[in-house]
Amino acid sequence: MFDYDLNDDQRELGATARRVFEQAGGLALARELFETRAYFSRALWRTMIELDWAGLAVPEAYGGSGGGILDLYAVCLESGRAVVSSPLIPSSVVAAHVLVGAAEGNQRVAELLGRLASGASIVAPALLEPGGVWDERGVETRLERSGGTAKVTGTKVLVPFADVADRLLATVRDRDGVSIVLVDPAATGVSITPTDNLASLPLCAVVMEGVEVDELVGRAGGGWPQLAPALARGAVLRAAETAGAGERILEMTVEYAKSRQQFGKAVGSYQAVQYLCTDIGIASHLTDLLARRAAWLIDTGRPHQRAAAAAKLHASRAAAHMTQRAHEVFAGLAFMMEHDLHLFTRHAKHWEHDLGDVRHHGEELVEALQREFVDGSQR
Amino acid sequence: MDLTFSSEQEEWRDEVRTFLTAELPADFDWNSEYDEDEEGWAFALDFTRKVAGRGWIGLTWPMEYGGLARPAIDRFILWEELIRANAPVVNHIGWGLAANALLAGGTHEQKLRFLPPIARMETFWAEGLTEPDAGSDLASLRTSADWTGEHWIVNGQKTFTTWGTHADVLYLAARTDPAQPKHRGISIFCLDLRAPGVSFSPLHNIAGGRQNHTYFDDVIVPADCLIGEVGHGWDYIMGSFYAGGPMGGMECEQENRLAELTRWCSTVGRYGRPLIEDPYVRERLAELAVMTEISRVLSYEGLSNFLHRRPPRFGGALNTVVSKEMRPQFSQTISEIVGPLSQVRGESPAAPMTGRPAEWFLRGINNHAGGTPQVKRMVMATRGLGLPR
């Protein structure tokens, strides 16, 4: 029967996630990680692994539990709500999806996928380059093949968890086009440098100079079609995190607007402030609806490009809009580090740009419109 | 989560589509803003009667009241298709607000008397809620209905009465007890617009339609034309806005415009290249695409909530706030893509897309009917978020 809600199992998974993230420390943990520049909590990641979340969307044949994006959706609403930094989206979703597509008949990829699904390994997608372009035009890192060896030279930026990863999953280009390779971060010629960033997230610059790599993951020149659906999955889950964070921001802001008195009244009784609060609710709820539908389309194998791109484009805007609106209600109070809002604000800036920024998803959308309305096909 | 329709529902959709293909010319364009064009009006009436002939006006109503007792989801599908085809269905007040109020509060006799003629498209209804001094604050309405012991005597004025001069019956809210608090002293009536003492003066809206001032000068209304119970009018009015279930469809209208615009942008040049390759145009098209997806998910969420009897979040106001605020924004964005010629109307050979962007722009200004977005924001803030009034 027609139903827009997550099912009982997914809601239960979400309730578990909320409890787990709260028990791990919730916003206090996020604050501690930020202040100590610890980047992420290994203890919490271990807990997530024990709950089988690292392999949640990996097929059972490769050691995962064969779940879908909607299952992870329930978790990501909560990881956004508690501002959790973890390898879940980059490794367990984006990298995992690319590996799943290449694992059949490729023993080494299948083994890596198994380690990823069990939580033993983190695979970091190394996609973005200094030009900041999320689509295949942004890939300038070179692949040189001669004889039996393949070497990679180029620079990747904002690579999540690169300094703790077992493998980097990198996009590279040669005359065939864009392909995907696995890079050993310990290999000669790789240098990894954490990048100072607003949220103190584990984002690294990766410079590769003549780094030897094994054979390609998937087909030569076929890298982008392998990656695009993985990016869509990751983007939808970032949108879920944004929506989850938005719910918490809304609660915090409304609570404050009800209690804070100025000119003898609660500030939440002023319509200017009410507009700010409703804006947060709208941005958050629409992000949730858009992303949930996109996740469902993905899980049911339906065309999802328009839905996923619209969800992430909206989520990117919402991430900035919701936090800005909240800052206006809290004014000076949340400009101070003691207040928790800045934790959301900082992470939201990452979510906004991660796995496709507004520019990227706008382009994805229009390409989909052209295919559908001008070329007459649908993807 | 499941956003699919059953095979029976898809068959129903096909049935509606087949009907629409047969009855409407290709590329049919209907001015939803109450166009007074005589030919268009005649076509709309004729078309609506054909819809009624299928029994689809009262699709979800009980059989005994002229309906087909079909589930709400079938009505949702019907409306998706009607709006996708830009179908000229009229008498919204009759089968919408009035029928919902009658179904909710009317006596069995009233339902038997008023609903079947609406289902058959034999009576045309206009709305008599808004007054010159009672718009957003509808409950402050002053039109009075006084009980003589035999019948009601109505005096006062309504405004923005769309299609008033075409209508047979007015869905009227009037004050029956001035001593009660303002929300409690209101009752709902079916008022015969041919009765002595009813008069109109024209109001022409900017989108080409006629609305009206409607005046009542000692108009006699029989006792059995008061719907339900005296003093309960406010509850019927509020209930009737949502009682019929979700209709969806805004996304279908937007999808149509987005498709037409995307194709147009692929055929027209500017700066020495197809418009579709202009980065500015692409960015704005993406905005339209996001708005369309938003309408789609709001429609589906509304349907899902209705089917599962889940109370909507935010006091039910989010959907209306977003849809209403989006409406002018959508047509404005089209205007910015099309550029200077978006102001040219259809009669001119220079008009892009036969002048539709200019008409869409004017129609897009109407986001007030049924309550302004500002009032809905206030509802969302107070009832939805619990902020103080």
Side-chain angles (χ1 to χ4, degrees):
Chain A
M1 184 183 183
F2 195 94
D3 189 355
Y4 212 120
D5 267 19
L6 298 178
N7 66 29
D8 289 346
D9 289 347
Q10 288 155 351
R11 282 205 296 271
E12 200 174 307
L13 182 59
T16 303
R18 181 173 296 198
R19 202 168 52 242
V20 164
F21 294 143
E22 277 309 311
Q23 280 168 1
L27 291 181
L29 173 65
R31 170 176 292 276
E32 183 195 322
L33 294 172
F34 171 74
E35 286 174 354
T36 59
R37 297 197 174 202
Y39 299 123
F40 82 114
S41 163
R42 285 174 183 276
L44 176 55
W45 179 233
R46 272 197 300 277
T47 306
M48 294 166 74
I49 290 166
E50 282 160 18
L51 289 161
D52 279 338
W53 294 349
L56 195 56
V58 173
E60 289 171 7
Y62 300 113
S65 42
I69 297 301
L70 274 174
D71 300 317
L72 283 163
Y73 192 92
V75 174
C76 287
L77 282 174
E78 299 304 327
S79 60
R81 182 181 176 86
V83 203
V84 172
S85 157
S86 90
L88 188 68
I89 292 177
S91 180
S92 306
V93 177
V94 179
H97 189 76
V98 174
L99 295 176
V100 167
E104 201 180 329
N106 188 327
Q107 191 58 28
R108 277 186 314 121
V109 167
E111 278 171 20
L112 179 62
L113 190 53
R115 290 202 302 278
L116 186 158
S118 73
S121 289
I122 291 172
V123 180
L127 310 173
L128 198 65
E129 302 195 3
V133 175
W134 276 103
D135 68 31
E136 62 182 323
R137 289 171 292 185
V139 181
E140 293 178 19
T141 295
R142 292 195 315 279
L143 173 70
E144 280 154 29
R145 280 182 286 181
S146 61
T149 66
K151 289 184 175 179
V152 169
T153 299
T155 300
K156 299 288 182 179
V157 298
L158 304 178
V159 182
F161 299 93
D163 51 349
V164 294
D166 299 275
R167 285 291 181 276
L168 310 177
L169 183 137
T171 43
V172 294
R173 181 182 290 282
D174 68 1
R175 61 180 182 281
D176 291 332
V178 172
S179 304
I180 294 172
V181 297
L182 286 167
V183 177
D184 180 353
T188 309
V190 180
S191 76
I192 294 174
T193 319
T195 306
D196 195 15
N197 64 86
L198 284 179
S200 275
L201 284 163
L203 303 172
C204 302
V206 177
V207 178
M208 296 169 287
E209 286 182 46
V211 180
E212 268 194 51
V213 295
D214 301 321
E215 84 270 30
L216 305 180
V217 177
R219 205 164 49 77
W224 204 257
Q226 283 173 267
L227 187 62
L231 280 178
R233 283 162 169 75
V236 164
L237 292 173
R238 278 285 179 247
E241 289 198 319
T242 306
E247 285 301 304
R248 185 69 173 272
I249 293 168
L250 180 66
E251 289 165 16
M252 290 165 62
T253 308
V254 167
E255 189 189 328
Y256 178 73
K258 282 181 191 169
S259 60
R260 168 75 171 172
Q261 303 265 326
Q262 288 289 279
F263 306 105
K265 299 200 284 188
V267 296
S269 64
Y270 298 106
Q271 286 182 4
V273 174
Q274 293 184 345
Y275 257 71
L276 297 173
C277 293
T278 48
D279 262 5
I280 298 169
I282 291 167
S284 163
H285 189 65
L286 292 182
T287 301
D288 179 28
L289 290 181
L290 289 165
R292 222 188 308 159
R293 174 164 175 270
W296 175 81
L297 290 170
I298 289 171
D299 277 352
T300 54
R302 292 181 159 79
H304 61 260
Q305 193 172 16
R306 263 176 83 180
K312 182 55 168 67
L313 197 165
H314 188 271
S316 292
R317 289 261 166 75
H321 192 63
M322 294 185 307
T323 48
Q324 185 59 37
R325 290 320 212 199
H327 274 291
E328 290 192 14
V329 175
F330 283 106
L333 195 68
F335 197 57
M336 301 302 131
M337 296 282 278
E338 293 106 63
H339 198 276
D340 283 336
L341 182 60
H342 78 102
L343 299 167
F344 290 94
T345 310
R346 291 168 187 278
H347 281 251
K349 187 51 71 182
H350 175 62
W351 299 334
E352 176 188 343
H353 292 284
D354 192 33
L355 300 170
D357 54 1
V358 166
R359 173 74 170 77
H360 170 79
H361 287 292
E363 190 58 30
E364 290 279 299
L365 262 176
V366 178
E367 283 172 13
L369 295 181
Q370 286 180 274
R371 274 195 299 277
E372 197 171 331
F373 298 137
V374 184
D375 309 337
S377 69
Q378 201 185 49
R379 195 176 86 188
Chain B
M1 187 167 182
D2 180 7
L3 303 183
T4 56
F5 297 92
S6 71
S7 55
E8 290 81 14
Q9 287 155 359
E10 291 297 352
E11 278 168 32
W12 162 236
R13 186 187 295 282
D14 287 342
E15 185 186 343
V16 176
R17 282 188 180 177
T18 306
F19 167 80
L20 292 170
T21 309
E23 297 299 337
L24 294 178
D27 270 342
F28 181 77
D29 192 29
W30 159 250
N31 182 353
S32 57
E33 288 311 313
Y34 335 125
D35 204 325
E36 287 296 293
D37 168 69
E38 295 268 333
E39 253 176 62
W41 178 251
F43 186 82
L45 280 180
D46 188 47
F47 176 80
T48 309
R49 286 190 191 111
K50 286 176 181 164
V51 176
R54 296 279 178 131
W56 296 350
I57 293 291
L59 190 69
T60 56
W61 305 350
M63 301 269 199
E64 59 181 326
Y65 304 135
L68 295 179
R70 297 267 290 272
I73 195 164
D74 285 4
R75 186 164 179 263
F76 180 92
I77 291 167
L78 171 68
W79 274 95
E80 276 196 330
E81 295 310 319
L82 289 171
I83 293 176
R84 198 190 313 280
N86 206 356
V89 181
V90 290
N91 203 17
H92 299 68
I93 304 304
W95 48 255
L97 296 184
N100 290 344
L102 280 159
L103 285 165
T107 62
H108 177 61
E109 288 70 28
Q110 287 174 328
K111 291 175 193 171
L112 282 177
R113 175 176 164 196
F114 290 110
L115 290 173
I118 295 174
R120 293 192 300 264
M121 185 63 188
E122 289 166 5
T123 49
F124 202 102
W125 291 60
E127 182 211 290
L129 301 180
T130 304
E131 297 183 3
D133 291 326
S136 294
D137 182 11
L138 183 62
S140 69
L141 62 88
R142 291 204 302 254
T143 293
S144 62
D146 298 313
W147 180 244
T148 64
E150 255 177 86
H151 47 243
W152 298 92
I153 304 276
V154 173
N155 280 286
Q157 183 193 344
K158 296 291 174 179
T159 192
F160 304 148
T161 321
T162 303
W163 289 327
T165 50
H166 291 291
D168 311 302
V169 188
L170 189 74
Y171 171 67
L172 173 76
R175 189 160 299 286
T176 41
D177 189 350
Q180 290 285 329
K182 63 179 185 177
H183 291 86
R184 298 269 66 94
I186 296 170
S187 302
I188 293 286
F189 298 88
C190 308
L191 180 141
D192 181 355
L193 284 168
R194 310 272 151 62
V198 177
S199 61
F200 298 101
S201 67
L203 284 168
H204 296 283
N205 73 37
I206 62 174
R210 175 175 165 177
Q211 299 177 242
N212 298 274
H213 290 301
T214 306
Y215 306 93
F216 314 100
D217 182 10
D218 286 335
V219 179
I220 293 174
V221 177
D224 59 3
C225 286
L226 184 148
I227 301 177
E229 289 181 54
V230 71
H232 285 247
W234 186 255
D235 301 332
Y236 302 147
I237 294 169
M238 289 297 114
S240 68
F241 276 118
Y242 306 106
M247 307 210 316
M250 180 154 161
E251 72 278 12
C252 299
E253 178 181 281
Q254 290 174 337
E255 179 89 5
N256 279 346
R257 294 180 185 180
L258 185 58
E260 185 174 352
L261 190 66
T262 304
R263 285 193 283 269
W264 182 79
C265 289
S266 308
T267 57
V268 175
R270 195 181 289 164
Y271 301 117
R273 61 186 171 199
L275 202 48
I276 192 85
E277 288 172 22
D278 181 342
Y280 174 79
V281 167
R282 294 180 81 78
E283 189 260 326
R284 304 306 285 163
L285 279 173
E287 301 296 336
L288 292 175
V290 171
M291 286 189 249
T292 306
E293 293 305 309
I294 286 173
S295 297
R296 201 186 316 277
V297 297
L298 285 173
S299 276
Y300 287 175
E301 186 202 27
L303 175 63
S304 171
N305 282 340
F306 187 87
L307 294 175
H308 296 275
R309 301 179 196 284
R310 294 186 191 115
R313 293 189 64 194
F314 305 115
L318 184 141
N319 191 330
T320 34
V321 167
V322 173
S323 311
K324 282 168 173 287
E325 292 182 350
M326 197 193 285
R327 197 169 148 83
Q329 196 190 343
F330 196 88
S331 47
Q332 172 62 21
T333 305
I334 292 176
S335 194
E336 290 176 13
I337 291 171
V338 174
L341 293 180
S342 67
Q343 65 195 300
V344 178
R345 305 189 77 166
E347 292 77 19
S348 164
M353 288 180 272
T354 64
R356 291 214 248 259
E359 305 309 321
W360 294 340
F361 169 71
L362 288 177
R363 295 176 212 169
I365 292 169
N366 178 2
N367 67 354
H368 50 265
T372 65
Q374 292 73 34
V375 166
K376 303 295 180 185
R377 280 267 191 177
M378 286 162 64
V379 172
M380 184 175 168
T382 54
R383 211 178 301 160
L385 298 178
L387 290 168
R389 283 169 198 276

PDB file of all heavy atoms in Angstrom, chain B residues 132-154:
ATOM      1  N   PRO B 132     -15.297  42.139   2.446  1.00  0.00           N
ATOM      2  CA  PRO B 132     -14.314  43.224   2.325  1.00  0.00           C
ATOM      3  C   PRO B 132     -13.465  43.403   3.597  1.00  0.00           C
ATOM      4  O   PRO B 132     -12.286  43.679   3.517  1.00  0.00           O
ATOM      5  CB  PRO B 132     -15.180  44.450   2.046  1.00  0.00           C
ATOM      6  CG  PRO B 132     -16.383  43.905   1.347  1.00  0.00           C
ATOM      7  CD  PRO B 132     -16.632  42.567   1.975  1.00  0.00           C
ATOM      8  N   ASP B 133     -14.081  43.209   4.783  1.00  0.00           N
ATOM      9  CA  ASP B 133     -13.317  43.383   6.021  1.00  0.00           C
ATOM     10  C   ASP B 133     -13.012  42.053   6.712  1.00  0.00           C
ATOM     11  O   ASP B 133     -12.598  42.040   7.867  1.00  0.00           O
ATOM     12  CB  ASP B 133     -14.094  44.296   6.982  1.00  0.00           C
ATOM     13  CG  ASP B 133     -14.143  45.722   6.463  1.00  0.00           C
ATOM     14  OD1 ASP B 133     -13.156  46.154   5.829  1.00  0.00           O
ATOM     15  OD2 ASP B 133     -15.170  46.394   6.665  1.00  0.00           O
ATOM     16  N   ALA B 134     -13.264  40.961   6.020  1.00  0.00           N
ATOM     17  CA  ALA B 134     -12.969  39.646   6.622  1.00  0.00           C
ATOM     18  C   ALA B 134     -12.272  38.783   5.587  1.00  0.00           C
ATOM     19  O   ALA B 134     -12.901  38.069   4.816  1.00  0.00           O
ATOM     20  CB  ALA B 134     -14.257  38.970   7.108  1.00  0.00           C
ATOM     21  N   GLY B 135     -10.966  38.901   5.528  1.00  0.00           N
ATOM     22  CA  GLY B 135     -10.165  38.114   4.594  1.00  0.00           C
ATOM     23  C   GLY B 135      -9.440  37.043   5.366  1.00  0.00           C
ATOM     24  O   GLY B 135      -9.997  35.987   5.668  1.00  0.00           O
ATOM     25  N   SER B 136      -8.184  37.335   5.752  1.00  0.00           N
ATOM     26  CA  SER B 136      -7.439  36.387   6.570  1.00  0.00           C
ATOM     27  C   SER B 136      -8.162  36.128   7.893  1.00  0.00           C
ATOM     28  O   SER B 136      -8.187  35.012   8.379  1.00  0.00           O
ATOM     29  CB  SER B 136      -6.026  36.930   6.837  1.00  0.00           C
ATOM     30  OG  SER B 136      -5.298  36.985   5.627  1.00  0.00           O
ATOM     31  N   ASP B 137      -8.749  37.190   8.447  1.00  0.00           N
ATOM     32  CA  ASP B 137      -9.519  37.044   9.692  1.00  0.00           C
ATOM     33  C   ASP B 137     -10.970  36.750   9.329  1.00  0.00           C
ATOM     34  O   ASP B 137     -11.870  37.550   9.582  1.00  0.00           O
ATOM     35  CB  ASP B 137      -9.398  38.332  10.513  1.00  0.00           C
ATOM     36  CG  ASP B 137     -10.135  38.238  11.840  1.00  0.00           C
ATOM     37  OD1 ASP B 137     -10.556  37.119  12.222  1.00  0.00           O
ATOM     38  OD2 ASP B 137     -10.302  39.289  12.488  1.00  0.00           O
ATOM     39  N   LEU B 138     -11.165  35.590   8.730  1.00  0.00           N
ATOM     40  CA  LEU B 138     -12.472  35.243   8.191  1.00  0.00           C
ATOM     41  C   LEU B 138     -13.555  35.224   9.268  1.00  0.00           C
ATOM     42  O   LEU B 138     -14.702  35.591   9.021  1.00  0.00           O
ATOM     43  CB  LEU B 138     -12.389  33.871   7.503  1.00  0.00           C
ATOM     44  CG  LEU B 138     -13.664  33.383   6.823  1.00  0.00           C
ATOM     45  CD1 LEU B 138     -14.068  34.329   5.697  1.00  0.00           C
ATOM     46  CD2 LEU B 138     -13.477  31.970   6.296  1.00  0.00           C
ATOM     47  N   ALA B 139     -13.176  34.830  10.468  1.00  0.00           N
ATOM     48  CA  ALA B 139     -14.165  34.673  11.534  1.00  0.00           C
ATOM     49  C   ALA B 139     -14.763  36.010  11.970  1.00  0.00           C
ATOM     50  O   ALA B 139     -15.739  36.041  12.717  1.00  0.00           O
ATOM     51  CB  ALA B 139     -13.557  33.957  12.725  1.00  0.00           C
ATOM     52  N   SER B 140     -14.197  37.108  11.497  1.00  0.00           N
ATOM     53  CA  SER B 140     -14.782  38.414  11.848  1.00  0.00           C
ATOM     54  C   SER B 140     -15.873  38.814  10.857  1.00  0.00           C
ATOM     55  O   SER B 140     -16.323  39.947  10.854  1.00  0.00           O
ATOM     56  CB  SER B 140     -13.686  39.479  11.891  1.00  0.00           C
ATOM     57  OG  SER B 140     -13.199  39.721  10.576  1.00  0.00           O
ATOM     58  N   LEU B 141     -16.297  37.872  10.020  1.00  0.00           N
ATOM     59  CA  LEU B 141     -17.293  38.202   8.989  1.00  0.00           C
ATOM     60  C   LEU B 141     -18.565  38.801   9.613  1.00  0.00           C
ATOM     61  O   LEU B 141     -18.956  38.445  10.727  1.00  0.00           O
ATOM     62  CB  LEU B 141     -17.606  36.963   8.140  1.00  0.00           C
ATOM     63  CG  LEU B 141     -18.208  35.739   8.816  1.00  0.00           C
ATOM     64  CD1 LEU B 141     -19.724  35.820   8.858  1.00  0.00           C
ATOM     65  CD2 LEU B 141     -17.782  34.493   8.061  1.00  0.00           C
ATOM     66  N   ARG B 142     -19.216  39.712   8.859  1.00  0.00           N
ATOM     67  CA  ARG B 142     -20.351  40.452   9.420  1.00  0.00           C
ATOM     68  C   ARG B 142     -21.678  40.201   8.708  1.00  0.00           C
ATOM     69  O   ARG B 142     -22.718  40.622   9.191  1.00  0.00           O
ATOM     70  CB  ARG B 142     -20.047  41.956   9.366  1.00  0.00           C
ATOM     71  CG  ARG B 142     -18.949  42.386  10.323  1.00  0.00           C
ATOM     72  CD  ARG B 142     -19.079  43.858  10.677  1.00  0.00           C
ATOM     73  NE  ARG B 142     -19.027  44.701   9.481  1.00  0.00           N
ATOM     74  CZ  ARG B 142     -17.978  45.456   9.144  1.00  0.00           C
ATOM     75  NH1 ARG B 142     -16.916  45.480   9.915  1.00  0.00           N
ATOM     76  NH2 ARG B 142     -18.020  46.189   8.056  1.00  0.00           N
ATOM     77  N   THR B 143     -21.637  39.561   7.540  1.00  0.00           N
ATOM     78  CA  THR B 143     -22.907  39.256   6.868  1.00  0.00           C
ATOM     79  C   THR B 143     -23.806  38.513   7.857  1.00  0.00           C
ATOM     80  O   THR B 143     -23.370  37.549   8.490  1.00  0.00           O
ATOM     81  CB  THR B 143     -22.656  38.390   5.618  1.00  0.00           C
ATOM     82  OG1 THR B 143     -21.941  39.185   4.679  1.00  0.00           O
ATOM     83  CG2 THR B 143     -23.956  37.906   4.994  1.00  0.00           C
ATOM     84  N   SER B 144     -25.050  38.977   7.981  1.00  0.00           N
ATOM     85  CA  SER B 144     -25.900  38.433   9.042  1.00  0.00           C
ATOM     86  C   SER B 144     -27.014  37.575   8.474  1.00  0.00           C
ATOM     87  O   SER B 144     -27.478  37.794   7.354  1.00  0.00           O
ATOM     88  CB  SER B 144     -26.511  39.582   9.850  1.00  0.00           C
ATOM     89  OG  SER B 144     -27.323  40.376   9.006  1.00  0.00           O
ATOM     90  N   ALA B 145     -27.408  36.589   9.248  1.00  0.00           N
ATOM     91  CA  ALA B 145     -28.596  35.800   8.940  1.00  0.00           C
ATOM     92  C   ALA B 145     -29.462  35.807  10.192  1.00  0.00           C
ATOM     93  O   ALA B 145     -29.037  35.313  11.236  1.00  0.00           O
ATOM     94  CB  ALA B 145     -28.204  34.379   8.544  1.00  0.00           C
ATOM     95  N   ASP B 146     -30.616  36.433  10.082  1.00  0.00           N
ATOM     96  CA  ASP B 146     -31.501  36.558  11.258  1.00  0.00           C
ATOM     97  C   ASP B 146     -32.713  35.651  11.117  1.00  0.00           C
ATOM     98  O   ASP B 146     -33.344  35.600  10.058  1.00  0.00           O
ATOM     99  CB  ASP B 146     -31.965  38.019  11.398  1.00  0.00           C
ATOM    100  CG  ASP B 146     -30.776  38.955  11.622  1.00  0.00           C
ATOM    101  OD1 ASP B 146     -29.926  38.623  12.466  1.00  0.00           O
ATOM    102  OD2 ASP B 146     -30.700  39.989  10.917  1.00  0.00           O
ATOM    103  N   TRP B 147     -33.011  34.968  12.183  1.00  0.00           N
ATOM    104  CA  TRP B 147     -34.128  34.003  12.197  1.00  0.00           C
ATOM    105  C   TRP B 147     -35.431  34.731  12.524  1.00  0.00           C
ATOM    106  O   TRP B 147     -35.512  35.445  13.516  1.00  0.00           O
ATOM    107  CB  TRP B 147     -33.835  32.908  13.224  1.00  0.00           C
ATOM    108  CG  TRP B 147     -34.897  31.860  13.346  1.00  0.00           C
ATOM    109  CD1 TRP B 147     -35.668  31.588  14.431  1.00  0.00           C
ATOM    110  CD2 TRP B 147     -35.295  30.937  12.327  1.00  0.00           C
ATOM    111  NE1 TRP B 147     -36.517  30.556  14.180  1.00  0.00           N
ATOM    112  CE2 TRP B 147     -36.308  30.131  12.884  1.00  0.00           C
ATOM    113  CE3 TRP B 147     -34.908  30.713  11.019  1.00  0.00           C
ATOM    114  CZ2 TRP B 147     -36.946  29.110  12.162  1.00  0.00           C
ATOM    115  CZ3 TRP B 147     -35.534  29.708  10.301  1.00  0.00           C
ATOM    116  CH2 TRP B 147     -36.540  28.918  10.865  1.00  0.00           C
ATOM    117  N   THR B 148     -36.405  34.545  11.650  1.00  0.00           N
ATOM    118  CA  THR B 148     -37.683  35.240  11.870  1.00  0.00           C
ATOM    119  C   THR B 148     -38.684  34.349  12.569  1.00  0.00           C
ATOM    120  O   THR B 148     -39.788  34.782  12.892  1.00  0.00           O
ATOM    121  CB  THR B 148     -38.305  35.642  10.515  1.00  0.00           C
ATOM    122  OG1 THR B 148     -38.618  34.444   9.798  1.00  0.00           O
ATOM    123  CG2 THR B 148     -37.359  36.507   9.703  1.00  0.00           C
ATOM    124  N   GLY B 149     -38.306  33.101  12.798  1.00  0.00           N
ATOM    125  CA  GLY B 149     -39.284  32.135  13.293  1.00  0.00           C
ATOM    126  C   GLY B 149     -39.770  31.258  12.150  1.00  0.00           C
ATOM    127  O   GLY B 149     -40.292  30.175  12.376  1.00  0.00           O
ATOM    128  N   GLU B 150     -39.559  31.696  10.922  1.00  0.00           N
ATOM    129  CA  GLU B 150     -39.982  30.947   9.738  1.00  0.00           C
ATOM    130  C   GLU B 150     -38.817  30.648   8.821  1.00  0.00           C
ATOM    131  O   GLU B 150     -38.677  29.573   8.276  1.00  0.00           O
ATOM    132  CB  GLU B 150     -40.976  31.795   8.936  1.00  0.00           C
ATOM    133  CG  GLU B 150     -42.410  31.388   9.034  1.00  0.00           C
ATOM    134  CD  GLU B 150     -43.276  32.376   8.254  1.00  0.00           C
ATOM    135  OE1 GLU B 150     -43.428  32.159   7.038  1.00  0.00           O
ATOM    136  OE2 GLU B 150     -43.713  33.379   8.850  1.00  0.00           O
ATOM    137  N   HIS B 151     -38.001  31.661   8.623  1.00  0.00           N
ATOM    138  CA  HIS B 151     -36.858  31.514   7.728  1.00  0.00           C
ATOM    139  C   HIS B 151     -35.751  32.485   8.143  1.00  0.00           C
ATOM    140  O   HIS B 151     -35.916  33.252   9.092  1.00  0.00           O
ATOM    141  CB  HIS B 151     -37.275  31.768   6.274  1.00  0.00           C
ATOM    142  CG  HIS B 151     -38.104  33.006   6.091  1.00  0.00           C
ATOM    143  ND1 HIS B 151     -39.413  32.965   5.637  1.00  0.00           N
ATOM    144  CD2 HIS B 151     -37.823  34.308   6.336  1.00  0.00           C
ATOM    145  CE1 HIS B 151     -39.878  34.195   5.610  1.00  0.00           C
ATOM    146  NE2 HIS B 151     -38.944  35.009   6.034  1.00  0.00           N
ATOM    147  N   TRP B 152     -34.637  32.412   7.406  1.00  0.00           N
ATOM    148  CA  TRP B 152     -33.507  33.291   7.684  1.00  0.00           C
ATOM    149  C   TRP B 152     -33.546  34.477   6.721  1.00  0.00           C
ATOM    150  O   TRP B 152     -33.916  34.333   5.557  1.00  0.00           O
ATOM    151  CB  TRP B 152     -32.179  32.556   7.492  1.00  0.00           C
ATOM    152  CG  TRP B 152     -32.011  31.388   8.425  1.00  0.00           C
ATOM    153  CD1 TRP B 152     -32.349  30.088   8.180  1.00  0.00           C
ATOM    154  CD2 TRP B 152     -31.489  31.429   9.746  1.00  0.00           C
ATOM    155  NE1 TRP B 152     -32.071  29.299   9.266  1.00  0.00           N
ATOM    156  CE2 TRP B 152     -31.534  30.098  10.249  1.00  0.00           C
ATOM    157  CE3 TRP B 152     -30.988  32.441  10.575  1.00  0.00           C
ATOM    158  CZ2 TRP B 152     -31.087  29.771  11.530  1.00  0.00           C
ATOM    159  CZ3 TRP B 152     -30.541  32.102  11.851  1.00  0.00           C
ATOM    160  CH2 TRP B 152     -30.603  30.784  12.319  1.00  0.00           C
ATOM    161  N   ILE B 153     -33.162  35.653   7.231  1.00  0.00           N
ATOM    162  CA  ILE B 153     -33.060  36.854   6.399  1.00  0.00           C
ATOM    163  C   ILE B 153     -31.579  37.255   6.357  1.00  0.00           C
ATOM    164  O   ILE B 153     -30.980  37.532   7.405  1.00  0.00           O
ATOM    165  CB  ILE B 153     -33.861  38.029   6.986  1.00  0.00           C
ATOM    166  CG1 ILE B 153     -35.320  37.636   7.201  1.00  0.00           C
ATOM    167  CG2 ILE B 153     -33.707  39.254   6.100  1.00  0.00           C
ATOM    168  CD1 ILE B 153     -36.175  37.772   5.976  1.00  0.00           C
ATOM    169  N   VAL B 154     -31.009  37.254   5.155  1.00  0.00           N
ATOM    170  CA  VAL B 154     -29.578  37.523   5.030  1.00  0.00           C
ATOM    171  C   VAL B 154     -29.343  38.943   4.519  1.00  0.00           C
ATOM    172  O   VAL B 154     -29.975  39.373   3.540  1.00  0.00           O
ATOM    173  CB  VAL B 154     -28.916  36.501   4.080  1.00  0.00           C
ATOM    174  CG1 VAL B 154     -27.452  36.871   3.814  1.00  0.00           C
ATOM    175  CG2 VAL B 154     -29.011  35.098   4.669  1.00  0.00           C
TER     176      VAL B 154
END
